[in-house]
Amino acid sequence: MSGRQHRETEIARRIRAKGLAAQRTSAQIADEIHEACSAHFSTTRIKAHRLAHGIALADVIEQVRALFERDSKPMPGIGETLLSAYESGLKRPGPEYLHYLCTVYRVEPAALGYDGPCICGNSHRATPALAEQVAERPPLPAEREQLHQSVDSVPDTEEDENILRRTLLNLLRADTAVSQQLDGPILGACEGIRRRMDETLVSATVSAAMLDQWEEATISFGRQYTTTAPLRLLCDVLLELSAVRTAMSRRQPIDLQERLCRMAAQLSGLSGMILINLGDHRLARSFFRTGRTAADETGDRALRAWICARESLVPLYFGDAREALNLAKKSRDLAGSTPCPAQAMAPVVEARALAMLSGGESKKEVVDQAKRALARARSAFSHMKTEDQEDVAFGYTEKQLYFYQGDVLTKLGQTIEAEVVLDQALTKYEDHILDQTLIRLDQAQCRLIDGDVKEAVAIGTRALSLVSEEHLTELIVRPAMALEQAIMARDPNAPGLDAYRAELRRSRRPQLKGGGA
C-alpha cells in the first residue's frame, strides 16, 4: 500500500470508528468519508462505502460471489482488479454487477455515485430498524440528489424503465424461465419511451449535454447486436435511449445538441433493427421514424441515409418489396456522393427488392439491373472508412455484403454463383445465429431450384435445429415457411418434410396481436 493510500485508509478508519460510536449508519459514515477524502485522495463514493464497512476488496468479491451462488447463477468474473477499477472511476459496473454491489452495501446506485435506479426496480436500503434511524436525520447529499431526481422524473417514464429493468434482470437470471417474446407490458414500455422521445424532439427547447460514456455505450450496443439475444439487448438500448431523452428535456449548451440528436438517432435506429429481429415490424417502423426525426436535427446526410437504409429492411422482410425499393432509392439520394455505409447498403436493398419483384423469373433485364446494383454496392464498400467496414450495426461489413449478394442471386435463380457466395458468407458469420440460419435457408432454396428436394429438406431442417427458441422469431419463420411451401409444390411427400415441419413449429409461442406481421 502506498503512503497516499495508507493516509486515506487511516482517515477513513478514524471516521468509521467515530461514526460507529455515535450509532451512525454505514451510509452516513460513507458520506462523511467521501466528503473528507474526495478532495485530497479522489475517493469515489463506491470506495467510500467499502471503507465505511471496514472491509477489503477481497471481502466484497466474496460477498458478491455468495450472492451469485444464492441466486444459482454461474460464478462471476469479477475480481479485485475489476473492483479496483470501479473504485478508481476507470470503469463503470454493468447493470448486473451494480445490482449486486448495491445489495452488498444496502444502498441505491446514486449512493455509490451512479445515476438511475437499479435494474431490479426495488429498494436496496437496509432493514426497517435502520430505516427508522435514517428517517430521524436530514437526508444525505446523495439521497437529496436522488430525491430531487425522483421529483423531476415523470411517473410514466419511471414505470416504463422499471418494466425494462425487471425484464432485463429476469433475463440475466439463469434459473428463471422467462418468455423471450414481446408481451403487452414490454410493448407498452417500448412505445412509451419512443413516444416521449418524439415529444422531446419536436420541443422548441431541446438542447442537452451528452456524456462521453453514452457514446461509448452506443458503440458497445452496436458490437453486441450480433451476439446478444434480441430482447436482452433491446432492454439495454431503450434504457440508454430513455436517459438520452431525459437529458434532452433539459436546456443545455446548444453547441452540444447535435451530439445528443445523433445519439437519439443511432439508438432509435438500433431499436428498430432489434425489433425487426423480434418480428414486430410495426414498432420497428415507429422507431425508425423517431430516428429520422432525430437525424434530421443533425443535418448529417450520412446518418439520415443510414436510418433510411435500415428502415428499408422492414418492408423487404415483411412483404412489400416495392416500398423497400423506394426507400433504398431515397437512402441513395440522401447519401449523395458522401462515402458512407448507406452508399453500400442502399444498392444491395435495391437488388434484393428487384429480385423479389421478379417472382423468381430470371428475366435478363431484371438480372442485369440487380447485378449492376450489387456492383455499385461493392464499389461503394471499397471506398468506405475502415472503421465503418468493421461495424456490423452502424457501418456495413464484408460479411453482410456477401450474405445479401448471395440472397439476391438465390432469388434470381442464379444458383451456381449464389452457392459460392453463400458458402463464403457462412464462414464469416460464426457469431450471429440469425444470419447463419437465413444463409442456410437460402442454400436450401438453391438446392430446391436445382431439383435436389431431399438435400433442400435436409439443409433446412439442420438450419432450424440450430436455432434456439429465443431466436425463432418472425424473421426466421417467414422464409422457413416459404421454403416449406416451395418444397410441397415440388413434392408433398418429400423425405424428411415431417421432421422439417416439426423443427419449424416446435414450442413456438403464438405472435401477439398487433405485433409481428
Side-chain angles (χ1 to χ4, degrees):
M1 182 184 293
S2 67
R4 181 183 176 89
Q5 289 174 317
H6 183 75
R7 283 189 59 207
E8 179 189 32
T9 304
E10 284 298 314
I11 293 172
R13 187 179 290 124
R14 286 198 297 271
I15 294 173
R16 179 173 182 270
K18 291 179 180 179
L20 291 174
Q23 296 186 333
R24 295 191 181 94
T25 65
S26 296
Q28 288 176 289
I29 295 170
D31 197 71
E32 291 179 15
I33 291 173
H34 179 262
E35 188 173 345
C37 297
S38 60
H40 300 289
F41 308 106
S42 300
T43 306
T44 58
R45 290 193 178 278
I46 187 172
K47 185 175 183 180
H49 277 271
R50 179 173 63 80
L51 295 173
H53 282 74
I55 56 178
L57 289 167
D59 297 314
V60 180
I61 298 303
E62 287 305 319
Q63 288 186 46
V64 170
R65 288 175 177 167
L67 290 169
F68 268 75
E69 185 177 1
R70 179 201 67 185
D71 293 341
S72 302
K73 299 175 70 173
M75 281 296 100
I78 189 172
E80 292 186 29
T81 302
L82 185 57
L83 183 55
S84 180
Y86 296 158
E87 291 190 351
S88 63
L90 294 175
K91 289 188 176 181
R92 176 192 171 99
E96 188 174 30
Y97 284 161
L98 181 57
H99 165 69
Y100 284 107
L101 288 171
C102 288
T103 304
V104 168
Y105 294 129
R106 297 183 179 181
V107 293
E108 303 307 307
L112 298 181
Y114 303 109
D115 295 333
C118 183
I119 57 171
C120 67
N122 299 319
S123 174
H124 288 281
R125 293 191 178 176
T127 59
L130 286 178
E132 290 175 6
Q133 296 176 24
V134 172
E136 295 174 358
R137 59 168 173 81
L140 299 174
E143 294 168 338
R144 286 198 299 270
E145 181 181 353
Q146 186 179 3
L147 180 63
H148 178 69
Q149 289 175 348
S150 65
V151 170
D152 285 347
S153 58
V154 181
D156 289 344
T157 301
E158 290 181 348
E159 179 58 29
D160 288 342
E161 290 180 357
N162 285 337
I163 288 171
L164 295 173
R165 287 190 182 94
R166 286 194 292 271
T167 302
L168 183 57
L169 184 61
N170 288 335
L171 290 168
L172 290 170
R173 287 175 175 162
D175 61 333
T176 305
V178 182
S179 169
Q180 298 288 343
Q181 300 292 329
L182 290 166
D183 59 18
I186 298 175
L187 282 169
C190 294
E191 179 63 20
I193 288 175
R194 187 202 64 78
R195 188 182 65 252
R196 282 187 288 277
M197 174 57 79
D198 271 347
E199 292 168 356
T200 302
L201 286 168
V202 299
S203 170
T205 60
V206 171
S207 61
M210 173 55 60
L211 299 176
D212 288 342
Q213 66 184 28
W214 287 349
E215 293 177 329
E216 292 169 5
T218 302
I219 294 170
S220 174
F221 292 146
R223 293 195 192 102
Q224 296 174 48
Y225 173 65
T226 61
T227 57
T228 304
L231 187 55
R232 160 91 181 269
L233 184 58
L234 181 65
C235 291
D236 283 331
V237 171
L238 287 182
L239 287 171
E240 200 75 13
L241 180 64
S242 186
V244 171
R245 189 206 68 82
T246 301
M248 293 177 72
S249 66
R250 304 185 186 119
R251 183 171 292 281
Q252 300 288 348
I254 194 65
D255 58 322
L256 296 180
Q257 181 179 346
E258 183 180 335
R259 288 176 67 189
L260 254 175
C261 288
R262 175 179 296 278
M263 282 286 293
Q266 289 178 320
L267 290 169
S268 297
L270 187 55
S271 299
M273 292 159 59
I274 298 168
L275 284 161
I276 290 176
N277 292 344
L278 287 168
D280 194 309
H281 62 88
R282 183 197 63 79
L283 198 50
R285 289 300 290 267
S286 296
F287 270 99
F288 283 125
R289 283 196 295 270
T290 298
R292 283 209 311 265
T293 304
D296 288 344
E297 292 293 318
T298 68
D300 186 334
R301 294 176 66 95
L303 180 61
R304 295 166 68 194
W306 174 79
I307 289 281
C308 194
R310 283 294 182 182
E311 185 180 358
S312 68
L313 295 179
V314 179
L316 187 74
Y317 284 134
F318 295 100
D320 191 347
R322 198 168 298 282
E323 185 186 3
L325 184 62
N326 292 334
L327 282 171
K329 289 179 178 178
K330 182 179 178 181
S331 173
R332 187 183 63 188
D333 293 340
L334 282 170
S337 58
T338 306
C340 62
Q343 274 196 331
M345 293 173 62
V348 169
V349 176
E350 285 185 54
R352 296 176 76 189
L354 286 168
M356 290 174 66
L357 289 169
S358 71
E361 297 180 10
S362 300
K363 295 181 180 178
K364 186 177 184 306
E365 59 270 23
V366 175
V367 173
D368 290 345
Q369 193 175 353
K371 287 187 174 181
R372 282 197 299 271
L374 291 176
R376 289 199 305 273
R378 287 191 294 269
S379 175
F381 178 82
S382 66
H383 291 90
M384 282 167 49
K385 297 176 183 176
T386 304
E387 56 265 32
D388 287 336
Q389 293 178 345
E390 297 171 353
D391 192 334
V392 71
F394 304 117
Y396 203 66
T397 64
E398 187 179 29
K399 63 183 180 182
Q400 288 172 302
L401 192 60
Y402 275 119
F403 168 31
Y404 297 130
Q405 182 179 347
D407 182 67
V408 170
L409 293 170
T410 299
K411 287 180 169 59
L412 290 173
Q414 308 288 297
T415 58
I416 296 176
E417 293 179 71
E419 289 193 0
V420 172
V421 177
L422 289 171
D423 284 339
Q424 292 174 315
L426 195 58
T427 61
K428 295 177 180 293
Y429 271 99
E430 297 178 352
D431 59 347
H432 197 191
I433 188 63
L434 287 177
D435 285 327
Q436 282 183 27
T437 306
L438 292 171
I439 291 168
R440 290 190 175 100
L441 291 175
D442 274 344
Q443 289 177 323
Q445 285 281 10
C446 284
R447 297 301 173 88
L448 187 63
I449 292 170
D450 289 339
D452 193 344
V453 179
K454 183 178 179 181
E455 184 64 14
V457 174
I459 293 173
T461 305
R462 179 166 163 12
L464 294 178
S465 69
L466 296 174
V467 183
S468 63
E469 288 184 20
E470 66 180 348
H471 287 104
L472 198 60
T473 64
E474 199 77 8
L475 184 69
I476 298 295
V477 171
R478 277 178 172 268
M481 292 185 69
L483 177 62
E484 177 190 18
Q485 292 168 2
I487 292 170
M488 289 181 62
R490 286 289 187 98
D491 183 359
N493 301 311
L497 185 57
D498 288 340
Y500 178 82
R501 287 170 173 162
E503 285 293 341
L504 177 58
R505 291 164 175 81
R506 61 184 160 91
S507 302
R508 197 160 61 84
R509 299 177 181 87
Q511 295 291 325
L512 294 166
K513 293 181 180 179

